[in-house]
Amino acid sequence: MLTGGNVNDCTQFTTVMEAIRVPRPGPGRPRTRPAHVIADKGYSSRTIRAYLRRRKIGATIPERADQLAGRARRGHRRHAFDPIRYKRRNVVERCFNRLKHFKGIATRYDKLATHYRSAVTIVCLLLWLR
């Protein structure tokens, strides 16, 4: 999902999740629910965690320090967190880092969303072919 630069990414979480469509190898509807979500601390909100629980999607999201302190103060236990699984998130972060090597993508010179999305698609294709 493409948003303005002043919009926080976590506000688009449910929109992105609803747009997931993974085709099945044979006949049948595409899958719309991933088995697991790995995200950074910016996605550690009560709303996002409730959404994932409702849809029965596993989550590996570290908690922010203020959330940990609040839980300890209230006597609640911490959310389950798998540091081994969380390490695999670096693949996505490295991909974003490679995208940012292209100046037009990193600075978003394009004013129209369609032009920017097209540029990101072209850069992804270039990176895929390398």
Side-chain angles (χ1 to χ4, degrees), residues 66-84:
D66 64 329
Q67 290 175 327
L68 289 172
R71 282 182 165 290
R73 191 174 53 251
R74 290 188 307 270
H76 294 187
R77 61 188 185 97
R78 296 173 65 167
H79 288 290
F81 178 73
D82 184 1
I84 305 299

Side-chain angles (χ1 to χ4, degrees), residues 44-113:
S44 179
S45 72
R46 187 176 294 161
T47 307
I48 289 175
R49 289 184 187 275
Y51 173 81
L52 293 172
R53 271 194 305 278
R54 245 188 346 267
R55 294 196 63 202
K56 296 179 175 65
I57 300 171
T60 300
I61 306 172
E63 291 185 282
R64 295 188 317 265
D66 64 329
Q67 290 175 327
L68 289 172
R71 282 182 165 290
R73 191 174 53 251
R74 290 188 307 270
H76 294 187
R77 61 188 185 97
R78 296 173 65 167
H79 288 290
F81 178 73
D82 184 1
I84 305 299
R85 182 175 270 175
Y86 187 71
K87 284 182 181 179
R88 293 192 292 184
R89 196 176 138 270
N90 77 68
V91 174
V92 175
E93 292 298 328
R94 285 195 321 246
C95 176
F96 281 120
N97 193 14
R98 289 181 72 188
L99 283 172
K100 289 179 181 179
H101 286 143
F102 292 84
K103 189 175 182 180
I105 303 299
T107 57
R108 190 168 177 187
Y109 287 134
D110 294 316
K111 298 297 179 199
L112 297 178

Side-chain angles (χ1 to χ4, degrees), residues 32-45:
T32 59
R33 187 176 64 87
H36 204 86
V37 169
I38 303 173
D40 63 2
K41 289 181 181 184
Y43 294 89
S44 179
S45 72

